[in-house]
Amino acid sequence: MSLIQHFDNMSSFLNDVHTLDKLKQVLDPDILEQAFKHAGVATVRKRRLPLEAIMWSVIGMSLFRNETVWDIANRLDISLPGKNKLVAPSALVQGRQRLGYESVQHTFQLLAHKTFSTQSFEQWCGLNLLAVDGVSFRTHDNQDNREAFGSDSNQHGEVSYPQVRMCSLMEVSSHLLLDSSFDSRRIGEMSLAQRLLPAVPDNSLTLFDRGYYSLGLLHQWQNQGDNTHWMLPARKDLQYQVEHSINDNDKIVILSTSPQARKKFESLPETMMARLTTYKVDGKSYRVLSSLIDPLRFPYEELTEVYTQRWEIELAFREIKQGLNHSKHTLRSKKPDMVRQELWGLLLAYNLIRIVMLDATKDEDILPTQLSFSQSMRQVIAFFMFTPIHSASKLPIHYDELLTTLRLFILPDRLPNRHYPRVIRKKPNKYPYKRKCQSVLN
């Protein structure tokens, strides 16, 4: 959904508007209202800090990572007018508890769905390219978080901070997140990926990492909608029977499912048909397995290049963790429900920036991924903070200026054949080095 549409649909303007009204033009109030009703937190009571204001303070926690929630609320000026200009910190804590995390989650999902259904994206062979991968976030080390999320452990017990495991579904050409699922460290990524199935759009190809090889999951993905395809690297020990060969490097194969998998996935058949494609890059051989069994619609030459797009989701995770989260190792919230709320707010803030970048490249001969995310993020934050609001009729003009500015941040072309070999990290010495005596040095 284009953000500029909200400005065009404004039927009247006030001579003096509040900052919260400006922010409402960026995030559709109808989406917020639906999310509040879905979470069961909607109320008719008029509060100094309405739910819309608290929602923006949660989003602001990611946009202004180094500031306290109280400073964010007061800098954004999102509270309704009252006797005191500033709100009490305790009011924000109570407000976040009243808002919960389900309303933020539903806001993220509604906005992502509406944006994907109304925007046009780059396609490959008539399919939208998607990617799935996982990432972890560290929380504060306390008993509540350990019970809710767990952590890595060995024979000596838990040996690290509590961590949240997340799995996300992303549109490749724009880095727009379509959905995410996260849970405790004990839940595997394939289980989290199953929760993403309702968000898989028709006419799409999803690129998976090698670790997502599960015929039950892939069968569900392929049958989730109309033309919902998948692709992932083939395992070295892959067992298959050749149905027929398209050419020497391209085969249609039959995969046998195990009784354990059929017991877990009731609709899983005894065999599945897939396409095994082999190609070489710089003399090294690669194999990919996919559901694209039509060689006329999906030619061999096209298949050898598409899987490299999976790495785009790794760049998106870097933008979230290093850009928005400022490379902070630990999330700021201390209670499990507030951790979940903060994470959904982080994803929502990321998508809002990505939507503005989509608007900036609309009708232009550039992709959103060709713009610098860090520079665009700073400009969007500046728009929220410093755009004059004394005349609401000028908001569309300021927004157009923001889009024009973003189009200046085009990244240079990526270096071809960029390669960083894997190395084994040197194990740190548990004992400090003994310094040499000064007498020995002399």
Side-chain angles (χ1 to χ4, degrees):
M1 177 183 54
S2 174
L3 298 184
I4 197 64
Q5 292 176 359
H6 298 312
F7 297 124
D8 296 336
N9 293 334
M10 295 174 66
S11 58
S12 62
F13 301 101
L14 302 175
N15 292 327
D16 187 17
V17 298
H18 193 265
T19 305
L20 187 58
D21 296 319
K22 177 182 68 174
L23 299 178
K24 285 181 179 180
Q25 307 308 317
V26 180
L27 184 57
D28 192 345
D30 291 338
I31 290 180
L32 293 177
E33 184 177 354
Q34 293 179 47
F36 297 151
K37 289 182 179 179
H38 176 82
V41 296
T43 178
V44 296
R45 178 182 174 184
K46 198 70 171 178
R47 296 176 179 270
R48 177 84 192 281
L49 274 176
L51 291 175
E52 294 89 344
I54 302 170
M55 178 71 75
W56 273 107
S57 68
V58 173
I59 297 173
M61 290 171 60
S62 300
L63 297 177
F64 306 93
R65 182 59 176 84
N66 292 324
E67 299 192 26
T68 66
V69 182
W70 183 74
D71 289 332
I72 292 169
N74 290 314
R75 286 188 62 179
L76 288 177
D77 191 22
I78 56 178
S79 60
L80 296 181
K83 295 181 179 179
N84 299 319
K85 178 178 175 56
L86 303 180
V87 296
S90 59
L92 287 169
V93 175
Q94 296 170 4
R96 287 189 61 195
Q97 294 173 349
R98 186 171 73 251
L99 180 67
Y101 70 88
E102 292 182 354
S103 56
V104 188
Q105 173 186 356
H106 202 59
T107 300
F108 164 81
Q109 292 172 335
L110 287 175
L111 181 64
H113 174 74
K114 196 167 186 179
T115 302
F116 184 81
S117 61
T118 56
Q119 291 276 9
S120 59
F121 301 91
E122 289 289 316
Q123 294 187 337
W124 174 84
C125 293
L127 301 176
N128 287 303
L129 280 182
L130 313 177
V132 167
D133 206 355
V135 67
S136 296
F137 291 88
R138 195 170 79 176
T139 71
H140 281 273
D141 190 3
N142 56 52
Q143 187 61 32
D144 290 339
N145 287 337
R146 285 198 173 275
E147 292 177 357
F149 305 121
S151 65
D152 292 334
S153 61
N154 58 19
Q155 66 272 22
H156 302 293
E158 295 182 334
V159 294
S160 66
Y161 278 74
Q163 292 181 328
V164 182
R165 192 192 299 275
M166 176 185 292
C167 188
S168 297
L169 176 66
M170 188 196 77
E171 199 283 324
V172 167
S173 67
S174 64
H175 287 193
L176 180 75
L177 295 177
L178 302 186
D179 201 2
S180 285
S181 176
F182 50 84
D183 210 318
S184 70
R185 185 73 176 174
R186 296 178 289 270
I187 305 299
E189 289 187 17
M190 280 192 285
S191 298
L192 296 177
Q194 282 185 266
R195 304 179 189 179
L196 302 176
L197 283 167
V200 180
D202 295 336
N203 301 310
S204 61
L205 169 61
T206 305
L207 308 175
F208 290 93
D209 193 7
R210 189 190 311 272
Y212 287 88
Y213 181 77
S214 166
L215 294 182
L217 172 64
L218 298 178
H219 180 263
Q220 284 186 330
W221 209 275
Q222 186 174 348
N223 290 276
Q224 177 62 28
D226 184 21
N227 288 327
T228 51
H229 295 282
W230 52 265
M231 177 183 287
L232 78 170
R235 298 167 51 178
K236 292 182 180 180
D237 59 347
L238 180 68
Q239 302 294 322
Y240 61 89
Q241 294 180 351
V242 178
E243 173 71 12
H244 68 271
S245 296
I246 302 173
N247 57 50
D248 292 341
N249 297 317
D250 207 6
K251 299 178 177 62
I252 303 299
V253 299
I254 296 177
L255 307 174
S256 299
T257 61
S258 65
Q260 294 82 2
R262 293 194 297 271
K263 184 177 181 180
K264 182 177 180 181
F265 302 92
E266 296 180 357
S267 61
L268 183 63
E270 293 186 0
T271 60
M272 284 180 57
M273 190 171 294
R275 185 174 180 179
L276 183 62
T277 305
T278 305
Y279 59 95
K280 288 187 176 182
V281 177
D282 297 332
K284 187 175 181 180
S285 182
Y286 297 89
R287 298 191 309 170
V288 292
L289 194 67
S290 69
S291 61
L292 307 170
I293 60 177
D294 187 351
L296 297 179
R297 183 180 177 186
F298 309 109
Y300 172 80
E301 293 76 12
E302 300 287 341
L303 285 178
T304 59
E305 299 178 358
V306 65
Y307 188 73
T308 57
Q309 299 296 312
R310 193 202 71 82
W311 295 101
E312 294 295 328
I313 194 170
E314 305 285 358
L315 299 179
F317 288 151
R318 184 185 68 180
E319 292 164 352
I320 293 174
K321 301 189 82 170
Q322 296 185 10
L324 274 176
N325 212 35
H326 290 194
S327 298
K328 303 291 186 182
H329 294 295
T330 307
L331 298 172
R332 63 168 76 190
S333 300
K334 297 182 179 180
K335 296 294 183 180
D337 280 354
M338 296 298 99
V339 169
R340 298 183 181 97
Q341 184 190 80
E342 180 182 348
L343 277 176
W344 285 117
L346 178 65
L347 301 180
L348 181 55
Y350 176 79
N351 264 6
L352 286 174
I353 296 173
R354 276 294 167 190
I355 291 172
V356 177
M357 297 172 70
L358 270 169
D359 283 348
T361 55
K362 189 176 182 180
D363 301 326
E364 300 288 335
D365 194 22
I366 53 177
L367 294 174
T369 52
Q370 293 179 275
L371 300 181
S372 169
F373 177 81
S374 58
Q375 295 285 358
S376 300
M377 177 186 67
R378 295 187 186 100
Q379 292 299 320
V380 171
I381 292 175
F383 174 79
F384 288 155
M385 289 297 302
F386 305 117
T387 300
I389 60 173
H390 59 274
S391 179
S393 60
K394 294 184 179 180
L395 284 178
I397 298 176
H398 293 305
Y399 187 73
D400 284 336
E401 292 175 351
L402 170 65
L403 301 184
T404 302
T405 303
L406 262 58
R407 286 191 284 269
L408 300 177
F409 303 135
I410 299 180
L411 295 169
D413 294 335
R414 296 178 182 177
L415 296 177
N417 302 323
R418 195 172 184 179
H419 178 62
Y420 295 96
R422 290 181 178 270
V423 296
I424 299 177
R425 182 181 295 179
K426 184 179 179 181
K427 187 176 181 180
N429 192 347
K430 64 176 65 176
Y431 303 106
Y433 289 100
K434 185 177 181 180
R435 292 184 179 182
K436 293 183 179 181
C437 299
Q438 188 68 26
S439 59
V440 176
L441 295 176
N442 294 334

